[in-house]
Every structure is written in C-alpha cells, then in structure tokens.
C-alpha cells in the first residue's frame, strides 16, 4: 500500500492578512451612487445583491420598482446583473441598502422634462380623484390635474379609468410636483382647426361679471364684457342667458396658455347693435369679420410682419405657488427621512396609506372652463379657488 503524504507549504498568509487586503482594496460606496450589482439571493420581502462590497447589499421589495410590487420575482431574477442606486450608508452589520425605484424616478423626471420642453401632449388614465382635482400617472410619476383644468361636463368622480389628453403645466422635481392640464390639451387641439378672424357658433355655458364663457365645439372661449358691444355693458347678464346660441368671432388664440378670446363687438355693423338688434349683428357677421381680417392684415403689413396685439385677456392662468402649495407629490411612496438621500429628499414625504379616494371628502367639481382674469375686471384666479386647498394625496 502506497502511503501518500500531502505537504502543505507555509505561505505566511493568515486570515488577518486576507481581511486587511480586502480592506485595502475594498471599494467605498456612498448614498446616491449608482453601481452594478448581481442578484445573490431572493428573499420573501427583498433580495441580497453582490456589488463588490465585503457584505452583500440588500434591496427591500418597496424599492424594487416605481410601481407596486407584490413579490421580488416580478422584478429580479437570480444571477441577474443590473444597476442599483445606493440608498443608505452601511448599517451596524456593514450592509448597504439599495434601490431600483430611485433610478426609475430619476429617469422618469428626465423624460417628463423632455416632454414638457417639446410641449408634447400626453394621454393618461385617471386612477383617482380628490377634492382638488384628478390623479394620473405619467412615466410612472403621479401627476395632478387641478379641477379648473379638467374640461368635461362629467362629474369629476366619474373620470376614474377614463383616458385624457394632457399638457404639462408644471414639472418641478425639486418640489416633487407634476401638474397637468386637460383643458389646455383640448384647446390646443381645437385651435389647430380655428383661425383668428373666424366666425363660429357657440353656446353660452356660464356667465360671470367680467364676461361669458362660450362653448365652441367642446372647448370654452371667453367673451369678455369689453368685447360684447361698443356700447357700455353693465353686466353680461343683461345681454345673454345660459344656453343662448350665439355667433362670435375669434380674436385671439393662445395655445401656450390654453385660451380662446372671442368678440361680438367686432361684428357690430353699428355701435350698440349687439344690444339693440342682435339679429342684424348675426346677419352681417361674415361681412364684418372679413373687414376685420383685412384690417388686421393691413396692420401687420404696415408693421413689417410684427403682429398687432388685439384686445384680449392679459391675466396668465399659470399656477401660482400660493394657490398650489398643497399639490400631491409626484413620488407615490416617498422614503422615510432616515432612508432618503439628502439630495433626493422630497418636500413632503407621503408614506403608504389609503387610496386617494379616501384621502379627502369629494367636493363639487369646478367649472369645466376656468374663468380667466382681465385687466378691466377683477376676475377670480383662473386655476383654483384660493380657499380650496388641495390635500396631499397618497396611494395604495
């Protein structure tokens, strides 16, 4: 029988030496870094990820996606390699906490900024309403449509599951606010088929002290009190009633602000005819509109191509900070303060809670077309009633 002996050579390298070598060459990771990692082990409520540190990092299930995840297997597979965001520094066990959700949010904000810069119209389904408006998801971010920017005759609560065309009003990652307008999208689409100087037939849908709101093919235009007649008008109620059919001329199309300005004054063949003989105004409308267009063309040519401003509304209907300071945050499940990197901390964390439907009692929907202010009259804010604060909305 052959006696085999194994000789172990003393290489003079201890476990302590090996640990010291690891410390020397170990990478240093900081919250906010994006690193490559390989899925090491999937657990019921999270996963262990090898990112080259001494201890496997951990990603909890709530950080695996911008959308709600029921099980880690929906997102991760064993031995899969992908990018991870380092969410927190090492805990007492030397373990880092990772996130995929943060990467998706950063890319989502980049995408919506691009869409806003392109003045794109996006479509999204309403998933909830609250007393201030409606909630949608854009690129995974939670967007808010103020009630005054929802142009529909449906009750607001009946919009859930309905897909709406939308324009961007505010994209603010620092304040975690994404605000959109359904009204602007509809007005822009309608504007593509309208022209300044065109005569259209509409229906009076609302009367305010400063003017009447006229529905023209599904969008609302403002006939300001100063554009009703050459004669003085005390109140639009003295000339119009709700549901009156009227013939008006378009005097301004502002796609950026999402508004249409109308006039009957420019259609009067005689000053005051809109008050004294409305049928004459309607009969001569096309003739007077043609003269108006000729006048505008002559003015533009005289000014070497510079547009002549026409009487319209000056007030900007952009959203004010004061009015919309309580807009629901765009990030649906904000991190607890101790977990969130300082640079990415949202303005107001919204932990997981009840669905938005339960977040606040429903209130009556604002008018489909918000009143826009004018220099001649103290009209209310175009976007929201200041007294109607928008409560923070959480999601499931």
């Amino acid at each position: 029988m052959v006696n085999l002996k194994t000789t172990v050579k003393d290489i003079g390298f201890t476990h302590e030496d090996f640990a010291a070598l690891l410390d020397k060459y170990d990478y240093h990771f900081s919250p906010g870094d994006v690193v490559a990692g390989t899925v090491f082990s999937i657990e019921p409520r999270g996963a262990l990820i090898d990112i080259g540190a001494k201890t496997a990092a951990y990603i909890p299930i709530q950080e695996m996606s911008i959308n709600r995840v029921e099980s880690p297997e929906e997102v991760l597979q064993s031995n899969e390699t992908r990018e991870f965001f380092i969410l927190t520094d090492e805990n007492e066990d030397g373990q880092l906490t990772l996130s995929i959700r943060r990467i998706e949010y950063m890319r989502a904000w980049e995408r919506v900024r691009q869409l806003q810069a392109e003045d794109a119209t996006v479509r999204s389904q309403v998933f909830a309403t609250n007393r201030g408006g409606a909630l949608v998801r854009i690129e995974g971010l939670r967007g808010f449509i103020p009630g005054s920017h929802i142009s529909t005759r449906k009750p607001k609560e009946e919009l859930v599951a309905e897909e709406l065309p939308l324009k961007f009003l505010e994209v603010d990652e620092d304040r975690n606010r994404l605000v959109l307008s359904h009204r602007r999208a509809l007005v822009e689409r309608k504007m593509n088929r309208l022209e300044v100087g065109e005569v259209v037939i509409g229906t009076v849908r609302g009367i305010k002290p400063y003017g009447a709101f006229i529905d023209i093919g599904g969008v609302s235009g403002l006939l300001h009190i100063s554009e009703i007649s050459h004669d003085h008008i005390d109140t639009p109620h003295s000339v119009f009633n709700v549901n009156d059919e009227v013939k008006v001329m378009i005097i301004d199309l502002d796609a950026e602000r999402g508004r249409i300005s109308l006039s009957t004054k420019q259609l009067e063949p005689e000053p005051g005819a809109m008050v004294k003989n409305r049928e004459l105004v309607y009969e001569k409308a096309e003739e007077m509109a043609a003269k108006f267009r000729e006048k505008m063309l002559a003015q533009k040519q005289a000014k070497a191509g510079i547009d002549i401003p026409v009487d319209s509304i000056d007030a900007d209907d952009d959203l004010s900070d004061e009015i919309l300071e309580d807009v629901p945050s765009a990030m649906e499940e904000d991190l607890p303060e101790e977990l969130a990197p300082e640079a990415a901390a949202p303005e107001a964390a919204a932990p997981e809670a009840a669905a938005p439907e339960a977040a606040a009692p429903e209130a009556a929907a604002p008018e489909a077309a918000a009143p826009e202010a004018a220099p001649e009259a103290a009209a209310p804010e175009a976007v929201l009633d200041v007294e109607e604060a928008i409560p923070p909305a959480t999601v499931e």
Side-chain angles (χ1 to χ4, degrees):
M1 181 175 180
V2 178
N3 185 20
L4 298 176
K5 293 184 179 179
T6 302
T7 303
V8 178
K9 185 177 180 180
D10 184 5
I11 60 173
F13 195 74
T14 65
H15 287 292
E16 289 76 14
D17 295 331
F18 183 65
L21 189 63
L22 284 178
D23 287 335
K24 181 178 179 180
Y25 290 100
D26 189 25
Y27 292 103
H28 294 284
F29 301 99
S30 301
D33 290 346
V34 175
V35 297
T38 302
V39 179
F40 176 71
S41 173
I42 295 179
E43 302 183 350
R45 302 300 296 170
L48 294 173
I49 311 297
D50 179 8
I51 61 170
K54 288 183 293 184
T55 304
Y58 182 72
I59 178 169
I61 191 170
Q62 63 267 26
E63 287 301 323
M64 289 185 180
S65 175
I66 199 170
N67 300 309
R68 181 167 295 280
V69 174
E70 298 299 331
S71 67
E73 288 82 2
E74 294 178 30
V75 179
L76 299 175
Q77 297 179 350
S78 294
N79 299 317
E80 174 188 3
T81 299
R82 61 179 299 163
E83 287 184 327
F84 294 90
F85 181 93
I86 297 181
L87 197 59
T88 68
D89 220 332
E90 294 179 351
N91 59 18
E92 60 274 12
D93 298 322
Q95 189 174 65
L96 295 162
T97 302
L98 305 179
S99 174
I100 296 170
R101 188 176 74 114
R102 285 288 181 175
I103 294 176
E104 291 180 345
Y105 270 125
M106 289 187 292
R107 290 173 180 168
W109 279 113
E110 182 179 352
R111 176 61 179 152
V112 295
R113 281 194 296 269
Q114 179 185 351
L115 290 170
Q116 183 192 38
E118 296 171 355
D119 194 28
T121 298
V122 296
R123 299 188 68 88
S124 185
Q125 194 175 82
V126 175
F127 71 86
T129 62
N130 62 19
R131 72 185 180 93
L135 298 172
V136 295
R137 291 189 179 91
I138 306 292
E139 298 292 323
L141 297 172
R142 182 172 57 191
F144 177 69
I145 313 170
S148 59
H149 276 265
I150 300 173
S151 281
T152 177
R153 296 175 193 170
K154 287 184 178 181
K156 186 176 50 183
E157 54 273 13
E158 291 184 13
L159 291 175
V160 174
E162 184 167 331
E163 188 178 75
L164 303 177
L166 302 166
K167 301 289 286 188
F168 291 93
L169 291 180
E170 181 179 359
V171 175
D172 191 336
E173 182 178 4
D174 292 335
R175 300 175 66 189
N176 199 19
R177 300 193 340 170
L178 180 60
V179 187
L180 304 110
S181 173
H182 175 228
R183 177 164 60 87
R184 283 192 183 181
L186 291 184
V187 170
E188 182 183 84
R189 185 168 64 187
K190 180 67 177 178
M191 282 182 180
N192 291 335
R193 302 192 297 270
L194 297 175
E195 295 180 1
V196 172
E198 180 181 356
V199 175
V200 293
I201 296 175
T203 304
V204 177
R205 293 302 182 195
I207 300 176
K208 300 293 181 182
Y210 49 86
F213 288 94
I214 314 297
D215 184 307
I216 49 174
V219 294
S220 182
L222 177 65
L223 175 57
H224 193 267
I225 188 171
S226 64
E227 283 295 333
I228 294 176
S229 175
H230 284 87
D231 279 4
H232 174 73
I233 302 294
D234 289 326
T235 170
H237 288 276
S238 65
V239 182
F240 301 111
N241 295 308
V242 173
N243 294 327
D244 280 356
E245 187 173 271
V246 295
K247 190 176 283 189
V248 294
M249 185 176 70
I250 299 167
I251 59 171
D252 189 37
L253 294 170
D254 190 337
E256 182 179 348
R257 295 178 178 179
R259 64 193 189 194
I260 301 171
S261 300
L262 308 170
S263 175
T264 50
K265 179 173 77 173
Q266 305 299 333
L267 298 179
E268 288 185 326
E270 302 169 3
M274 194 62 199
V275 179
K276 303 167 188 173
N277 190 352
R278 190 183 308 183
E279 292 306 316
L280 177 62
V281 176
Y282 294 165
E283 181 183 337
K284 298 284 187 179
E286 296 294 347
E287 179 183 333
M288 297 302 297
K291 291 180 179 179
F292 176 84
R293 291 191 293 268
E294 290 173 3
K295 180 181 176 181
M296 285 190 64
L297 180 60
Q299 288 176 332
K300 289 180 180 180
Q301 290 173 341
K303 292 291 185 180
I306 299 177
D307 290 342
I308 301 298
V310 294
D311 271 335
S312 185
I313 317 162
D314 277 340
D316 193 341
D317 67 349
D318 285 345
L319 307 175
S320 70
D321 293 339
E322 178 182 357
I323 295 172
L324 290 182
E325 60 184 0
D326 293 326
V327 170
S329 62
M331 293 177 62
E332 300 188 22
E333 301 170 83
D334 296 322
L335 297 171
E337 187 175 351
E338 64 271 14
L339 290 183
E342 290 184 6
E347 186 179 19
E352 293 186 19
E357 293 91 328
E362 293 291 340
E367 278 194 30
E372 279 130 340
E376 295 87 348
E381 273 290 340
V383 177
L384 286 175
D385 188 338
V386 179
E387 297 177 359
E388 184 183 16
I390 304 172
T394 56
V395 299
E396 292 182 327

